[in-house]
Short mmCIF file of all heavy atoms in Angstrom, two decimals:
data_model
loop_
_atom_site.label_atom_id
_atom_site.label_comp_id
_atom_site.label_asym_id
_atom_site.label_seq_id
_atom_site.Cartn_x
_atom_site.Cartn_y
_atom_site.Cartn_z
N GLY A 40 -7.39 -3.34 -4.45
CA GLY A 40 -7.40 -2.68 -3.15
C GLY A 40 -6.60 -1.41 -3.11
O GLY A 40 -6.71 -0.56 -4.00
N ALA A 41 -5.77 -1.28 -2.09
CA ALA A 41 -5.10 -0.03 -1.72
C ALA A 41 -4.36 0.65 -2.87
O ALA A 41 -3.69 -0.02 -3.67
CB ALA A 41 -4.14 -0.31 -0.58
N THR A 42 -4.47 1.98 -2.92
CA THR A 42 -3.66 2.75 -3.88
C THR A 42 -2.30 3.10 -3.28
O THR A 42 -1.36 3.39 -4.02
CB THR A 42 -4.37 4.05 -4.30
OG1 THR A 42 -4.54 4.92 -3.18
CG2 THR A 42 -5.72 3.76 -4.92
N PHE A 43 -2.19 3.08 -1.96
CA PHE A 43 -0.93 3.38 -1.26
C PHE A 43 0.24 2.57 -1.83
O PHE A 43 1.28 3.11 -2.18
CB PHE A 43 -1.14 3.10 0.24
CG PHE A 43 0.04 3.36 1.14
CD1 PHE A 43 0.17 4.56 1.82
CD2 PHE A 43 1.00 2.39 1.35
CE1 PHE A 43 1.24 4.78 2.68
CE2 PHE A 43 2.07 2.59 2.20
CZ PHE A 43 2.19 3.80 2.86
N ALA A 45 0.18 0.77 -4.69
CA ALA A 45 -0.04 0.42 -6.10
C ALA A 45 1.22 0.53 -6.96
O ALA A 45 1.49 -0.37 -7.76
CB ALA A 45 -1.17 1.27 -6.68
N ALA A 68 -6.07 -0.73 -8.43
CA ALA A 68 -5.98 0.17 -7.27
C ALA A 68 -7.33 0.86 -7.08
O ALA A 68 -7.61 1.88 -7.71
CB ALA A 68 -4.87 1.19 -7.48
N ILE A 69 -8.16 0.30 -6.22
CA ILE A 69 -9.52 0.82 -6.02
C ILE A 69 -9.72 1.37 -4.61
O ILE A 69 -10.83 1.78 -4.26
CB ILE A 69 -10.57 -0.27 -6.30
CG1 ILE A 69 -10.38 -1.46 -5.35
CG2 ILE A 69 -10.51 -0.72 -7.76
CD1 ILE A 69 -11.49 -2.51 -5.43
N GLY A 70 -8.66 1.38 -3.79
CA GLY A 70 -8.78 1.84 -2.42
C GLY A 70 -8.88 0.68 -1.45
O GLY A 70 -9.38 -0.41 -1.80
N SER A 71 -8.42 0.89 -0.24
CA SER A 71 -8.41 -0.17 0.77
C SER A 71 -9.81 -0.68 1.10
O SER A 71 -10.01 -1.89 1.29
CB SER A 71 -7.73 0.32 2.04
OG SER A 71 -6.35 0.54 1.83
N ASP A 89 -4.29 -0.87 3.50
CA ASP A 89 -3.37 -0.25 4.45
C ASP A 89 -4.02 -0.16 5.83
O ASP A 89 -3.36 0.20 6.80
CB ASP A 89 -2.99 1.18 4.01
CG ASP A 89 -2.74 1.26 2.53
OD1 ASP A 89 -2.06 0.36 2.00
OD2 ASP A 89 -3.25 2.19 1.89
N VAL A 166 -7.96 18.92 0.83
CA VAL A 166 -8.13 17.86 -0.15
C VAL A 166 -8.04 16.52 0.58
O VAL A 166 -7.02 16.20 1.19
CB VAL A 166 -7.06 17.93 -1.27
CG1 VAL A 166 -7.34 16.85 -2.32
CG2 VAL A 166 -7.05 19.31 -1.92
N VAL A 167 -9.12 15.75 0.51
CA VAL A 167 -9.18 14.46 1.19
C VAL A 167 -9.62 13.39 0.20
O VAL A 167 -9.92 13.68 -0.96
CB VAL A 167 -10.16 14.52 2.39
CG1 VAL A 167 -9.71 15.57 3.39
CG2 VAL A 167 -11.59 14.80 1.92
N ARG A 168 -9.70 12.17 0.65
CA ARG A 168 -10.06 11.06 -0.22
C ARG A 168 -11.57 10.96 -0.39
O ARG A 168 -12.34 11.12 0.56
CB ARG A 168 -9.51 9.75 0.33
CG ARG A 168 -8.00 9.61 0.17
CD ARG A 168 -7.62 9.28 -1.25
NE ARG A 168 -7.95 7.91 -1.57
CZ ARG A 168 -7.14 6.89 -1.37
NH1 ARG A 168 -5.93 7.08 -0.87
NH2 ARG A 168 -7.53 5.67 -1.69
N ALA A 169 -11.98 10.62 -1.60
CA ALA A 169 -13.39 10.41 -1.89
C ALA A 169 -13.81 8.97 -1.61
O ALA A 169 -15.00 8.68 -1.49
CB ALA A 169 -13.68 10.74 -3.35
N ASP A 170 -12.82 8.07 -1.52
CA ASP A 170 -13.10 6.65 -1.37
C ASP A 170 -12.60 6.15 -0.02
O ASP A 170 -11.83 6.81 0.66
CB ASP A 170 -12.43 5.86 -2.50
CG ASP A 170 -10.94 6.21 -2.67
OD1 ASP A 170 -10.57 7.35 -2.33
OD2 ASP A 170 -10.16 5.36 -3.12
N GLY A 171 -13.05 4.96 0.36
CA GLY A 171 -12.53 4.34 1.56
C GLY A 171 -11.05 4.06 1.39
O GLY A 171 -10.64 3.41 0.43
N SER A 172 -10.24 4.54 2.32
CA SER A 172 -8.81 4.62 2.06
C SER A 172 -7.96 4.23 3.25
O SER A 172 -8.12 4.77 4.35
CB SER A 172 -8.48 6.07 1.65
OG SER A 172 -7.14 6.38 1.87
N GLY A 173 -7.00 3.33 3.01
CA GLY A 173 -6.04 3.00 4.04
C GLY A 173 -5.09 4.15 4.30
O GLY A 173 -4.61 4.33 5.43
N THR A 174 -4.79 4.94 3.27
CA THR A 174 -3.96 6.13 3.47
C THR A 174 -4.64 7.08 4.45
O THR A 174 -4.00 7.65 5.33
CB THR A 174 -3.69 6.84 2.13
OG1 THR A 174 -3.17 5.90 1.19
CG2 THR A 174 -2.72 8.00 2.30
N THR A 175 -5.95 7.23 4.27
CA THR A 175 -6.72 8.07 5.21
C THR A 175 -6.67 7.48 6.61
O THR A 175 -6.53 8.22 7.60
CB THR A 175 -8.19 8.18 4.74
OG1 THR A 175 -8.24 8.81 3.47
CG2 THR A 175 -9.02 9.00 5.73
N LEU A 207 -12.25 19.47 -0.93
CA LEU A 207 -12.25 18.82 -2.24
C LEU A 207 -11.93 17.35 -2.02
O LEU A 207 -11.15 17.00 -1.14
CB LEU A 207 -11.19 19.45 -3.16
CG LEU A 207 -11.31 20.97 -3.39
CD1 LEU A 207 -10.07 21.49 -4.11
CD2 LEU A 207 -12.56 21.29 -4.20
N LYS A 208 -12.50 16.48 -2.86
CA LYS A 208 -12.29 15.05 -2.69
C LYS A 208 -11.74 14.42 -3.96
O LYS A 208 -12.28 14.63 -5.05
CB LYS A 208 -13.60 14.37 -2.27
CG LYS A 208 -14.10 14.82 -0.91
CD LYS A 208 -15.34 14.06 -0.47
CE LYS A 208 -15.77 14.48 0.93
NZ LYS A 208 -16.94 13.71 1.41
N GLY A 209 -10.66 13.65 -3.79
CA GLY A 209 -10.04 12.99 -4.93
C GLY A 209 -10.07 11.48 -4.76
O GLY A 209 -9.97 10.97 -3.64
N LYS A 210 -10.21 10.76 -5.85
CA LYS A 210 -10.25 9.31 -5.80
C LYS A 210 -8.84 8.75 -5.81
O LYS A 210 -8.07 9.00 -6.74
CB LYS A 210 -11.05 8.75 -6.97
CG LYS A 210 -11.26 7.24 -6.89
CD LYS A 210 -12.24 6.76 -7.92
CE LYS A 210 -12.39 5.24 -7.88
NZ LYS A 210 -12.82 4.75 -6.57
N GLY A 211 -8.52 8.00 -4.78
CA GLY A 211 -7.19 7.40 -4.69
C GLY A 211 -6.11 8.42 -4.42
O GLY A 211 -6.34 9.64 -4.46
N ASN A 212 -4.91 7.92 -4.14
CA ASN A 212 -3.76 8.81 -3.99
C ASN A 212 -3.53 9.65 -5.25
O ASN A 212 -3.22 10.85 -5.14
CB ASN A 212 -2.50 8.00 -3.66
CG ASN A 212 -2.38 7.69 -2.17
OD1 ASN A 212 -2.05 8.54 -1.37
ND2 ASN A 212 -2.65 6.44 -1.81
N PRO A 213 -3.69 9.09 -6.46
CA PRO A 213 -3.50 9.91 -7.66
C PRO A 213 -4.47 11.08 -7.74
O PRO A 213 -4.10 12.18 -8.16
CB PRO A 213 -3.74 8.93 -8.81
CG PRO A 213 -3.44 7.58 -8.23
CD PRO A 213 -3.91 7.67 -6.81
N GLY A 214 -5.72 10.87 -7.32
CA GLY A 214 -6.72 11.93 -7.38
C GLY A 214 -6.41 13.07 -6.42
O GLY A 214 -6.55 14.25 -6.76
N VAL A 215 -5.97 12.71 -5.20
CA VAL A 215 -5.62 13.75 -4.21
C VAL A 215 -4.39 14.52 -4.68
O VAL A 215 -4.35 15.76 -4.62
CB VAL A 215 -5.37 13.12 -2.82
CG1 VAL A 215 -4.79 14.15 -1.85
CG2 VAL A 215 -6.66 12.54 -2.27
N ALA A 216 -3.38 13.81 -5.18
CA ALA A 216 -2.17 14.47 -5.68
C ALA A 216 -2.49 15.44 -6.80
O ALA A 216 -1.97 16.57 -6.82
CB ALA A 216 -1.16 13.42 -6.15
N ALA A 217 -3.34 15.04 -7.72
CA ALA A 217 -3.70 15.90 -8.86
C ALA A 217 -4.44 17.15 -8.40
O ALA A 217 -4.19 18.26 -8.89
CB ALA A 217 -4.54 15.12 -9.86
N LEU A 218 -5.35 17.00 -7.43
CA LEU A 218 -6.11 18.15 -6.93
C LEU A 218 -5.21 19.15 -6.21
O LEU A 218 -5.33 20.37 -6.39
CB LEU A 218 -7.23 17.68 -5.99
CG LEU A 218 -8.51 17.17 -6.65
CD1 LEU A 218 -9.42 16.55 -5.60
CD2 LEU A 218 -9.24 18.30 -7.38
N VAL A 219 -4.30 18.65 -5.38
CA VAL A 219 -3.39 19.54 -4.67
C VAL A 219 -2.50 20.27 -5.66
O VAL A 219 -2.27 21.49 -5.55
CB VAL A 219 -2.53 18.77 -3.65
CG1 VAL A 219 -1.44 19.68 -3.05
CG2 VAL A 219 -3.41 18.22 -2.52
N TYR A 228 -3.10 14.88 1.79
CA TYR A 228 -2.20 13.82 2.26
C TYR A 228 -2.17 12.70 1.21
O TYR A 228 -3.19 12.30 0.67
CB TYR A 228 -2.68 13.27 3.61
CG TYR A 228 -4.11 12.79 3.61
CD1 TYR A 228 -4.43 11.47 3.28
CD2 TYR A 228 -5.16 13.67 3.88
CE1 TYR A 228 -5.74 11.04 3.23
CE2 TYR A 228 -6.48 13.25 3.84
CZ TYR A 228 -6.77 11.93 3.51
OH TYR A 228 -8.07 11.51 3.46
N VAL A 229 -0.97 12.26 0.90
CA VAL A 229 -0.78 11.17 -0.06
C VAL A 229 0.40 10.30 0.38
O VAL A 229 1.26 10.75 1.14
CB VAL A 229 -0.50 11.68 -1.50
CG1 VAL A 229 -1.70 12.42 -2.08
CG2 VAL A 229 0.74 12.56 -1.53
N GLU A 230 0.45 9.09 -0.12
CA GLU A 230 1.61 8.24 0.12
C GLU A 230 2.84 8.94 -0.45
O GLU A 230 2.79 9.59 -1.48
CB GLU A 230 1.38 6.87 -0.54
CG GLU A 230 2.39 5.82 -0.15
CD GLU A 230 3.64 5.88 -1.00
OE1 GLU A 230 3.53 6.19 -2.19
OE2 GLU A 230 4.73 5.62 -0.45
N TYR A 233 3.85 9.15 -4.18
CA TYR A 233 3.00 10.00 -5.02
C TYR A 233 3.42 11.46 -4.90
O TYR A 233 3.34 12.22 -5.86
CB TYR A 233 1.53 9.85 -4.64
CG TYR A 233 0.93 8.53 -5.04
CD1 TYR A 233 0.97 7.43 -4.18
CD2 TYR A 233 0.31 8.35 -6.27
CE1 TYR A 233 0.43 6.21 -4.53
CE2 TYR A 233 -0.25 7.13 -6.64
CZ TYR A 233 -0.18 6.07 -5.76
OH TYR A 233 -0.73 4.85 -6.11
N ASN A 237 4.93 13.41 -8.22
CA ASN A 237 4.14 14.55 -8.69
C ASN A 237 4.79 15.89 -8.34
O ASN A 237 4.19 16.94 -8.54
CB ASN A 237 2.72 14.48 -8.12
CG ASN A 237 1.89 13.38 -8.75
OD1 ASN A 237 1.35 13.56 -9.84
ND2 ASN A 237 1.81 12.24 -8.09
#
Side-chain angles (χ1 to χ4, degrees):
T42 64
F43 180 96
I69 60 172
S71 292
D89 319 315
V166 184
V167 300
R168 287 284 287 271
D170 50 333
S172 157
T174 307
T175 298
L207 303 170
K208 295 184 177 182
K210 186 170 177 58
N212 276 286
V215 171
L218 279 171
V219 172
Y228 55 90
V229 295
E230 191 275 325
Y233 289 90
N237 288 278

